[in-house]
Structure formats: C-alpha cells, structure tokens
Amino acid sequence: METILEELTTHLGEINDLESINALLEWDQITYMPPQGATARGRQMATLSTLVHTKHTDPAIGRLLEKLHTYEEQLPYESDEASLIRVARRDYEQWIRVPSAFIAEFSNHLSESYTAWLAAREANNFTVVQPYVEKTLELSRQYSTFFPGHDHSIDPLINLSDYGMSAATIRSLFTELRQHLVPIVHAISEQPAIDDSCLHQYFPEDQQLAFGNEVIQRLGYDFERGRQDKTVHPFMTKFSLGDVRITTRIDENYLNEALFSTIHEAGHALYEQGINRAFERTPLAVGTSSGVHESQSRLWENMVGRSEPFWHYFYPRLQAAFPQQLAHVPITTFYRAINKVACSLIRTDADEVTYNLHAMLRFDLELALLEGTLHICDLPEAWNARYQTDLGIVPSDDRMGVLQDIHWYMGYIGGAFQGYTIGNILSAQFFEAAQKAHPTITSEIAQGEFDTLHNWLRMHIYAHGRKFTADEIVAQATGQPLSIEPYMNYLRSKYEKLYIL
Ligand code: ZN
C-alpha cells in the first residue's frame, strides 16, 4: 500500500509543481512584467493550465485511488494519510466530471469577457459587457449540470470555494445576519459622522511601506518565507510553504489604504505560512476554504488591527514615523477615524459594519440570476434597487455600481461572494474561542505581543491546511457550529461605544 500511496503522492506533487509555477507566472504578470510580455505570458499560462488539467484527470489517479480504498477505510479519519487520500479523491471526482472542452470554452470566454469588462468600465456602460455576462450565466448553469443531485444550481459553484456549504444554509445565515445588521447601520447613520481627516494627509510611500512591514513582522509574518511588493489590486499568493508573498497598493494621501490591506493580506499569509510543512507539495498544503481564509485576513485586519489595544502599542510608533502628520492627533481621534462607518458604494472601501451588506446583496443577486427570476438585462437596475434598500444610496453610474467587482466578469456567476461574509462571521467566532482559551490575549496585544494568539490560530486552524472542511475546523476549534452570535456581539459592543448608540 505504501508504494501505491507513494505513486499517488508523486503524481500529486507534479500537479502541485505545475500549479505553483503558474502562480509564479501570474504574480510576475501583475507586479513586474513589462507590458510587451503580456501576449506570450498569456500563452505560457494557457499551456500550463492545459497540462494541469490533463494531469488532474489522468485515469492513473483514479486507479491508484481505487486501490487505496480499503486502506483508507482502515486509517483514522484525522490521520494525514487518510486525509490526503480523501482530499485527492474529492478533487479527482470534481475534475473528471467537467469535460475538457468545457474548460477550454470557458477559459476562452473569460478572456473575452475580461476585455469587454474593461471596455464597459471605460465607457461606463454595462450593456457593452452584457452579452458576455449572459454567456457566463449560461456556462455557470451548465457547470452545475455536471454535478447532478444538488438542491440548488449554485451549490456546485459554492463547493468550488466553500466546500460543503449550500444555498440553503447560507441563505438562512445571511437572512438572520441582515436582520441584525440593518438596524445598526440605520442607528449609526443617524449619529454625527466621525471626523477622519487625520487619515487624509500626505504620507510618503516609503515610510508607509516601512511601517506596514514593521507591523506585519511583529504579527508573525516571516520575511524569510515571504516578501511584499506593490500592485494594483492587493493579493496573497504562494509558490511553496517556504515562499508566501503578499502585495499592497499605496495611496500617499490616505493612510488606511496600504496599512489595512497589508495587514489583511498578511493575515492570509500567516494562514499559509502556518500550514504543517510535512504537507508541502500535496493538495493538503493550502487553506481549507475561502470563508476560513477570509476569516484570518479579517481577524488580523479588524479584530486585531482596528482594535484599541493594538494601537495602544503601535500608535506611538506610527506617530514617530509620521510626526508632522500625527504628533498632535490624540490616539482616540485616530482610533475613531480608522473605525468610521459610512454607507458607501464600493465594497472594497466599506467599513466593518456595512461591508456584509455589500457581499450579501451580491450573493442574493447571484441566486436570482441562476434561478432565472432575474435577467442579466435587468441586473444594473436590480443592483441599484438593493443599494437603495440596504444602504440608502444609489450608484450614480454603472462603474460605481454593477461594474465595480471583477468576479462576474472573470469567473462563474455563483459562489463568488459568500466567502467574504462567512469570513467576517468566523473571524469573530475564532477570536472569541482564542480569547476564551487565553484570556491574556487582549493585554498581550496592547504590549505588541501576538504569539499566544498566533499560536492558537496556528494550532487550531493553520496547521491542518486542507485536512478538514470548514465545518469540521469550526467545530473543532470553537466547539460550536458556525454562528453569527460572536460576530454580532463584537460589532455591538465596539460600535455602541464608538457611536454612543
Ligand atoms: Zn481577503
């Protein structure tokens, strides 16, 4: 059996190598590649993707998994070996259901759709990209048909990023969350706005970068196994467990932009850097779902990075880095400024309280589109109507509205947005469990000490990589199923104080 498992591991290792090379090409493409390299790079990445697909669907994997079936049943569920076989089987069964002709058609379509999206944004007119989105919807529905037996056509699409979750569970979770959130947003909007002008000053790029690096190093990001570069849309990527990179973007006239995106991406990176290194080159060596991943970026960004204790330690350092701008700004003014709540149109700029309204309305629109109760031609209008209902503001044009996110123009319609809100919910649930286990965490954060928190997260979440599903991780780490209660408690206690509700 060991030889068979070794054969499987070799095969999976080669797939992992190819995927990591593709990630490196992609990282280079969006950071340092000169414009004239674009055509060849696109071709190189397409060639690699075809190779990856061939390898994923190689019948040899199916034969090896077949031979390992009885062996797997004898192993404890939580053992590394059983988990590897289980996850490899799940991947294989997913890959072989999707015809390679469909993959090719979809990937060709997406590059056209992306170009049309850029043109639509340029023209500030959704109708430019509308026929492409119609085709995307059709292909998204078709993808679902490869996985018969689901309750809702979005379920197979959700499985791609948040395995094990479904329309039914997410819908009821979001309905509950929305009922609690909307009154808080309304109450806050009746309060006087917080003055955040201290953040809108000139902060030179080099000092911003240096300060961000100091912060994330202190949090536990390992620069021996990573680096930070500049890009247009910040992201985290990984080429091996020894090379987990992040990117950021800097606005010299607004401090929040780079600071919090750096902490956010570092949160994703801490997850990947914390995976058991024995999983290197296997399908276990990655975070388990988009929801759990986002819970870590949001935990470090918000629960930690936007907290009072955190700035108790870091604010004097920030003032020392920017004496001209901040020496005369009291810490309370700064703390209130970075936590300002305002109903805005752009999801990525949204504060902690309103953010989920942006994500949840997108999820609802995806459901309606897949169900056929909403047509693509009516999407901009439906989008604007939901912004009016949920946030009380209406986009002035398509660029500020339905054209703002890349997701529906560069991927399936369905499964793209639920992870953001699940991540927010889980960030509070994990943070609460860590604090229960170690009540000193808050006072340690005020001293600039993050090891206790980091180690708890590493032990209960990061180290497992993809061994367990999101539901299993949540149950093991917190002793509870996914729940919005810790998140609502967190938001209420923080924002009741900030806005004297
Ligand atoms: Zn993220």
Side-chain angles (χ1 to χ4, degrees):
M1 276 307 142
E2 265 149 39
T3 0
I4 297 170
L5 190 58
E6 225 164 82
E7 223 178 297
L8 178 70
T9 316
T10 306
H11 205 104
L12 298 173
E14 285 168 6
I15 295 175
N16 192 281
D17 288 342
L18 292 172
E19 286 173 337
S20 302
I21 295 165
N22 221 5
L24 176 57
L25 292 181
E26 200 181 352
W27 171 85
D28 176 69
Q29 182 184 41
I30 20 196
T31 49
Y32 295 110
M33 188 188 74
Q36 296 275 313
T39 313
R41 182 58 51 88
R43 200 171 53 228
Q44 291 151 1
M45 288 168 67
T47 302
L48 261 180
S49 300
T50 313
L51 257 175
V52 167
H53 184 264
T54 312
K55 282 208 163 277
H56 266 299
T57 53
D58 188 338
I61 298 188
R63 283 196 296 272
L64 292 168
L65 286 168
E66 190 63 52
K67 285 183 196 160
L68 287 164
H69 195 75
T70 332
Y71 179 61
E72 182 193 353
E73 280 179 343
Q74 290 159 358
L75 294 165
Y77 180 86
E78 67 286 355
S79 71
D80 290 351
E81 282 188 333
S83 303
L84 177 68
I85 300 168
R86 182 172 65 244
V87 169
R89 173 170 290 117
R90 189 205 302 160
D91 286 348
Y92 179 69
E93 281 167 5
Q94 196 162 19
W95 278 95
I96 55 165
R97 277 170 189 258
V98 187
S100 53
F102 175 86
I103 299 276
E105 185 189 2
F106 191 58
S107 112
N108 282 333
H109 167 67
L110 286 190
S111 58
E112 285 170 19
S113 165
Y114 175 68
T115 312
W117 174 62
L118 294 178
R121 278 172 67 95
E122 186 68 34
N124 200 359
N125 187 350
F126 177 75
T127 54
V128 174
V129 72
Q130 186 182 318
Y132 297 91
V133 191
E134 272 159 7
K135 174 111 189 260
T136 305
L137 180 62
E138 192 189 305
L139 291 170
S140 303
R141 285 210 187 99
Q142 197 185 335
Y143 178 86
S144 287
T145 63
F146 301 139
F147 301 86
H150 53 257
D151 294 329
H152 193 289
S153 56
I154 203 174
D155 290 351
L157 296 158
I158 291 174
N159 267 336
L160 285 172
S161 50
D162 288 293
Y163 179 78
M165 305 227 166
S166 68
T169 50
I170 295 169
R171 209 187 319 227
S172 66
L173 189 75
F174 284 8
T175 307
E176 195 191 349
L177 181 63
R178 196 162 164 265
Q179 277 165 1
H180 289 283
L181 270 180
V182 172
I184 298 180
V185 173
H186 286 169
I188 290 175
S189 60
E190 280 161 14
Q191 298 295 316
I194 283 176
D195 174 12
D196 67 346
S197 55
C198 63
L199 305 172
H200 297 273
Q201 302 183 70
Y202 178 71
F203 297 95
E205 178 173 311
D206 289 350
Q207 278 114 294
Q208 283 202 53
L209 271 174
F211 183 76
N213 285 346
E214 183 198 328
V215 168
I216 59 175
Q217 189 152 25
R218 190 88 207 170
L219 297 180
Y221 179 72
D222 182 358
F223 276 94
E224 289 290 307
R225 293 198 284 145
R227 53 178 287 134
Q228 173 159 249
D229 295 88
K230 287 192 296 169
T231 188
V232 184
H233 299 286
F235 62 95
M236 183 274 308
T237 186
K238 182 187 68 182
F239 315 131
S240 71
L241 294 175
D243 193 348
V244 182
R245 302 189 189 186
I246 56 174
T247 57
T248 191
R249 76 176 150 206
I250 291 144
D251 181 344
E252 289 195 308
N253 296 304
Y254 184 43
L255 188 66
N256 272 19
E257 182 76 50
L259 179 59
F260 290 104
S261 95
T262 296
I263 302 177
H264 181 100
E265 299 308 330
H268 284 300
L270 288 174
Y271 190 172
E272 297 287 326
Q273 285 188 340
I275 292 170
N276 183 349
R277 296 193 77 174
F279 298 162
E280 183 77 290
R281 225 173 154 248
T282 76
L284 299 182
V286 66
T288 193
S289 72
S290 73
V292 176
H293 233 299
E294 198 64 13
S295 80
Q296 294 315 299
S297 53
R298 300 294 274 180
L299 187 153
W300 289 102
E301 178 194 352
N302 292 331
M303 314 270 137
V304 177
R306 281 189 167 88
S307 74
E308 267 177 315
F310 179 87
W311 288 105
H312 178 86
Y313 176 78
F314 275 113
Y315 194 59
R317 283 159 178 80
L318 184 70
Q319 284 179 309
F322 301 103
Q324 249 182 321
Q325 297 88 334
L326 296 173
H328 305 293
V329 178
I331 185 167
T332 44
T333 307
F334 176 78
Y335 171 70
R336 288 170 62 78
I338 58 168
N339 286 294
K340 178 183 178 170
V341 176
C343 288
S344 62
L345 292 169
I346 305 292
R347 175 183 62 85
T348 52
D349 296 340
D351 56 80
E352 272 184 284
V353 182
T354 58
Y355 187 93
N356 296 301
L357 297 176
H358 293 262
M360 290 189 292
L361 74 82
R362 285 156 173 77
F363 178 76
D364 288 344
L365 293 172
E366 288 189 328
L367 284 180
L369 287 169
L370 286 163
E371 285 165 2
T373 50
L374 172 65
H375 298 287
I376 295 289
C377 57
D378 300 322
L379 181 59
E381 208 178 306
W383 178 287
N384 293 354
R386 270 302 288 272
Y387 265 83
Q388 175 68 63
T389 324
D390 286 12
L391 290 134
I393 42 174
V394 180
S396 51
D397 54 39
D398 290 346
R399 210 155 29 197
M400 296 296 280
V402 70
L403 288 176
Q404 68 180 263
D405 297 304
I406 192 172
H407 305 57
W408 293 337
Y409 310 98
M410 260 305 258
Y412 293 110
I413 293 179
F417 289 103
Q418 77 285 333
Y420 293 111
T421 288
I422 292 169
N424 283 324
I425 296 169
L426 284 177
S427 67
Q429 200 172 340
F430 288 133
F431 194 54
E432 188 190 84
Q435 282 174 309
K436 263 189 195 148
H438 302 283
T440 53
I441 281 177
T442 311
S443 56
E444 286 173 29
I445 289 176
Q447 306 296 316
E449 297 296 336
F450 302 94
D451 284 357
T452 307
L453 175 62
H454 188 186
N455 286 333
W456 187 92
L457 294 166
R458 183 158 43 206
M459 195 196 301
H460 291 89
I461 304 167
Y462 306 170
H464 300 311
R466 223 170 134 229
K467 263 179 82 168
F468 303 113
T469 65
D471 283 345
E472 289 167 346
I473 291 268
V474 175
Q476 288 168 19
T478 71
Q480 303 284 331
L482 177 74
S483 154
I484 67 161
E485 214 181 293
Y487 184 59
M488 287 315 304
N489 290 342
Y490 160 78
L491 284 183
R492 280 205 190 95
S493 73
K494 179 171 177 178
Y495 287 91
E496 271 166 13
K497 264 190 243 157
L498 272 161
Y499 279 92
I500 320 165
L501 297 176

